[in-house]
Amino acid sequence: MIENRPGLNALAHLVLILGVVVVALPVWVAFVASTHGPTDFMSGTVPMWPGPHLVENYAKMLDTGLSTSGTPPVGWMMFNSLVMALSIALGKIAISILSAFAIVYFRFPLRGLAFWCIFVTLMLPVEVRIVPTFQVVAGLGLLNSYAGLSIPLIASATATFLFRQVFLTMPDELVEAARIDGAGPMKFFRDILLPLSRTNMAALFVILFIYGWNQYLWPLLVTTSSDYYTIVAGIKRLADVVDGLPQWHLVMATAVLAMLPPVAVVIFMQKLFVKGLVETEK
Amino acid sequence: MKRTIFSNQLLPWLLLAPQLAITFIFFLWPAGQAIKQSFLREDAFGINSSFVGLANFTALLDSPEYLNSLKVTAVFAISVTVVSMGVALLLAVAVDRMLKSSRTYTTLLVWPYAVAPAVAGILWWFIFNPTVGVMPYVLEVIGYDWNHISSKTDAMILVVIASAWKQISYNFLFFVAGLQAIPASMREAAAIDGAGPVRRFFDITFPLLSPTTFFLLVVNIVYSMFETFAVIDATTEGGPAQATNIMVYKVYFDGFIGQNLGSSAAQSVILMLIVISLTVIQFRWVEKKVEY
């Protein structure tokens, strides 16, 4: 703040409070809807305050779900989402840190080409090459499996770049010291590089977990068996009712459950989250 | 470049193997297939395919549906970018004035980043639902008859709001970081010279923020062109009457629902060219930042 202007400060607070309200509005409405019974929406007036059916609605969705929509219980879909998000996040970190190590600490023929190959993945979002990628995964027999849900999304140029950046800033003396002490490349990697990149890995994990949990199009395509539905992709199946109105109170309960884990991660690990976000975009 | 390196020749390839294998199987190979299919046309039974040269591309550029999709994508991408960046900049400038409360406000503003685009779509779909939603109820009071199921404009506004809402937190964080990087001494000097807050913003803050703004511009265009697939699919599904059928959605729809592989592949190739040019622009920016 440069100078004290009470009027301007009040205006800034007003803008921010308005911003917070606008940002929170849809979630509040969803939460309120999820605490009401099925008949509360028929009257035409929209409830703005929570009703008495919170426990009942959430317990029903987590436990049995909506069998008429062909989806499994929400608890099961959340478990699938968790498996997918964790495999994507951990898988991406593992293969990226290994390739960054290879690119930074070794000189070998075709190193430039390998680097370029990884760079390409940055340019081709799954939405763009969706049909042929689906054909490949179908051909490999990976439809309806956790492997099919996660492996095609595991290659990551951004994570590789991030670790490359981190390794490039580490002092050369570390390698020299390790070599004098007789450590080979893998021992150096395990005992020195990995511990030193721990914060970066944690920050990256937060971003990638959110990325993995929120996947939509890919799970929608590769899961035809309801055993492997994820919650984010399953929510649309709940809302899509052929005739009649969707059961809004149950759909909204599912929506709240779908955003709970990633939002909790952002709020409780805000520092790591901001670090991860800013670093991956460098 | 490291001065000290390890001399192994086989080990680096072993380390790179998983990444390269996945890149090849799930990225390069499908992209190659898309390029190949874009030059082929399959017969009605999908058994034989013949080489048709650029026919798939010329057919696309002659098709009013595709041209409409291009237009819709442009309107959508520009609206999402302007709305989400505008709101985020306003909030960031306001938070920048705060001393004690800035952390609290930041926490309260960043969490929508974690909400999946599909869920964001469902939330706003519910709020604007013509029969049970809150907003149509409010809008009716001021005399506007909202219906995104029949009105093209309403449908577009709905998907723009849902997509922009989710992106505000991201832009906000980067604008806040950008604002904090501007030396306070410059603004202080301007204040001593008698420049008011508005003048200072337009003459000093905004120009110095241009690297952040430019970076966010590219990121937001990429976001609104590709990652909003879920928003569209969870709400309007491209309708009504193609009004929200953005290019990414059309690729999926023509390929999976319409089973028109040649056309879908040609659209994929066009989209790939767009992403590649946007990525190149972004990386050139990283190399030499926009500065004054």
Side-chain angles (χ1 to χ4, degrees):
Chain A
M1 196 163 58
I2 313 296
E3 59 199 327
N4 191 24
R5 290 191 184 229
L8 217 53
N9 284 343
L11 184 71
H13 275 292
L14 190 73
V15 165
L16 286 169
I17 291 166
L18 218 64
V20 170
V21 169
V22 168
V23 156
L25 174 80
V27 177
W28 173 251
V29 172
F31 172 72
V32 168
S34 73
T35 59
H36 282 270
T39 50
D40 293 356
F41 300 96
M42 302 300 182
S43 59
T45 48
V46 202
M48 277 317 275
W49 294 106
H53 298 278
L54 181 129
V55 178
E56 180 192 327
N57 288 346
Y58 282 86
K60 176 179 161 59
M61 286 319 280
L62 280 172
D63 198 41
T64 53
L66 260 183
S67 49
T68 46
S69 65
T71 48
V74 171
W76 181 246
M77 291 201 283
M78 288 179 86
F79 173 75
N80 286 340
S81 284
L82 185 71
V83 172
M84 177 176 73
L86 286 178
S87 329
I88 291 177
L90 298 175
K92 267 186 191 245
I93 290 175
I95 69 169
S96 304
I97 202 165
L98 287 176
S99 32
F101 176 54
I103 283 170
V104 172
Y105 284 99
F106 296 89
R107 292 287 167 277
F108 51 94
L110 302 179
R111 180 170 156 272
L113 182 71
F115 192 60
W116 180 84
C117 274
I118 295 167
F119 182 72
V120 167
T121 60
L122 194 70
M123 298 187 176
L124 303 170
V126 77
E127 285 83 358
V128 171
R129 54 196 164 76
I130 190 74
V131 179
T133 313
F134 176 80
Q135 288 165 345
V136 167
V137 173
L140 292 172
L142 289 176
L143 298 184
N144 290 318
S145 71
Y146 290 124
L149 276 174
S150 49
I151 294 177
L153 302 174
I154 266 177
S156 167
T158 38
T160 313
F161 284 144
L162 169 72
F163 285 123
R164 176 175 165 268
Q165 220 57 39
V166 172
F167 292 165
L168 283 176
T169 56
M170 290 200 181
D172 276 342
E173 287 74 13
L174 284 177
V175 194
E176 283 159 23
R179 292 220 331 216
I180 291 167
D181 288 347
M186 286 326 281
K187 190 162 173 55
F188 169 73
F189 177 70
R190 205 174 44 237
D191 290 347
I192 296 174
L193 273 191
L194 275 188
L196 283 174
S197 341
R198 225 170 15 209
T199 349
N200 301 87
M201 282 199 270
L204 197 60
F205 177 82
V206 171
I207 299 295
L208 294 178
F209 178 82
I210 296 170
Y211 165 86
W213 182 276
N214 288 347
Q215 283 302 313
Y216 177 76
L217 173 59
W218 189 246
L220 202 64
L221 291 176
V222 298
T223 57
T224 47
S225 144
S226 63
D227 288 349
Y228 290 96
Y229 283 178
T230 62
I231 183 162
V232 171
I235 215 169
K236 197 207 164 195
R237 293 186 169 101
L238 286 174
D240 259 354
V241 192
V242 185
D243 41 17
L245 287 169
Q247 305 214 34
W248 284 116
H249 60 298
L250 299 178
V251 174
M252 287 301 128
T254 316
V256 170
L257 288 170
M259 57 188 153
L260 215 53
V263 168
V265 165
V266 164
I267 291 175
F268 293 115
M269 301 187 206
Q270 199 181 329
K271 254 202 176 125
L272 280 176
F273 160 69
V274 173
K275 183 178 158 70
L277 200 65
V278 175
E279 273 178 353
T280 45
E281 292 295 354
K282 251 187 220 156
Chain B
M1 278 291 164
K2 288 276 174 197
R3 280 176 290 116
T4 327
I5 47 159
F6 296 103
S7 55
N8 310 44
Q9 289 297 303
L10 180 64
L11 186 63
W13 285 107
L14 291 177
L15 293 168
L16 279 169
Q19 175 96 301
L20 287 180
I22 289 171
T23 303
F24 185 78
I25 298 171
F26 297 109
F27 287 78
L28 292 178
W29 173 257
Q33 287 294 307
I35 294 171
K36 196 181 108 192
Q37 276 168 3
S38 72
F39 294 109
L40 300 175
R41 182 164 293 163
E42 289 195 346
D43 63 19
F45 307 102
I47 303 164
N48 296 310
S49 48
S50 51
F51 182 76
V52 291
L54 289 170
N56 285 323
F57 291 94
T58 48
L60 271 183
L61 295 176
D62 284 339
S63 129
E65 271 197 11
Y66 192 69
L67 295 178
N68 170 63
S69 174
L70 281 177
K71 210 180 79 196
V72 166
T73 310
V75 171
F76 176 72
I78 293 170
S79 314
V80 171
T81 306
V82 170
V83 172
S84 63
M85 282 179 67
V87 175
L89 180 60
L90 184 69
L91 293 171
V93 169
V95 135
D96 199 42
R97 287 191 69 81
M98 300 299 156
L99 298 172
K100 271 180 272 170
S101 51
S102 73
R103 255 195 78 93
T104 317
Y105 278 126
T106 304
T107 309
L108 289 172
L109 286 169
V110 294
W111 57 267
Y113 175 86
V115 177
V119 176
I122 292 275
L123 292 182
W124 287 98
W125 178 251
F126 177 62
I127 287 183
F128 278 105
N129 186 289
T131 45
V132 296
V134 185
M135 286 310 281
Y137 185 77
V138 174
L139 287 170
E140 211 174 281
V141 176
I142 59 164
Y144 187 87
D145 184 23
W146 174 276
N147 193 336
H148 56 240
I149 294 160
S150 59
S151 157
K152 288 178 155 193
T153 323
D154 290 357
M156 179 56 100
I157 294 174
L158 173 73
V159 287
V160 167
I161 291 181
S163 313
W165 173 77
K166 195 202 127 42
Q167 193 66 0
I168 288 174
S169 49
Y170 182 91
N171 296 337
F172 170 78
L173 277 175
F174 277 87
F175 273 134
V176 169
L179 285 170
Q180 280 167 356
I182 297 175
S185 58
M186 297 184 101
R187 283 184 281 180
E188 276 161 15
I192 292 166
D193 287 349
V198 177
R199 178 89 197 266
R200 283 204 302 273
F201 176 78
F202 283 106
D203 284 356
I204 295 174
T205 314
F206 194 67
L208 284 172
L209 209 54
S210 62
T212 311
T213 312
F214 184 74
F215 161 78
L216 285 178
L217 212 57
V218 179
V219 170
N220 278 275
I221 291 173
V222 172
Y223 162 80
S224 50
M225 286 185 73
F226 302 102
E227 286 166 54
T228 48
F229 172 90
V231 176
I232 305 275
D233 193 48
T235 58
T236 61
E237 295 184 329
Q242 310 277 328
T244 54
N245 199 356
I246 60 171
M247 289 155 85
V248 176
Y249 197 73
K250 202 168 153 52
V251 169
Y252 158 81
F253 197 86
D254 290 356
F256 276 95
I257 319 273
Q259 292 286 325
N260 187 347
L261 291 184
S263 172
S264 173
Q267 294 178 41
S268 284
V269 171
I270 293 176
L271 276 177
M272 277 188 238
L273 291 177
I274 296 176
V275 194
I276 289 171
S277 30
L278 284 170
T279 318
V280 169
I281 294 173
Q282 192 179 336
F283 267 79
R284 297 206 54 173
W285 169 81
V286 171
E287 276 163 23
K288 41 178 179 216
K289 304 196 170 189
V290 185
E291 265 175 282
Y292 289 86

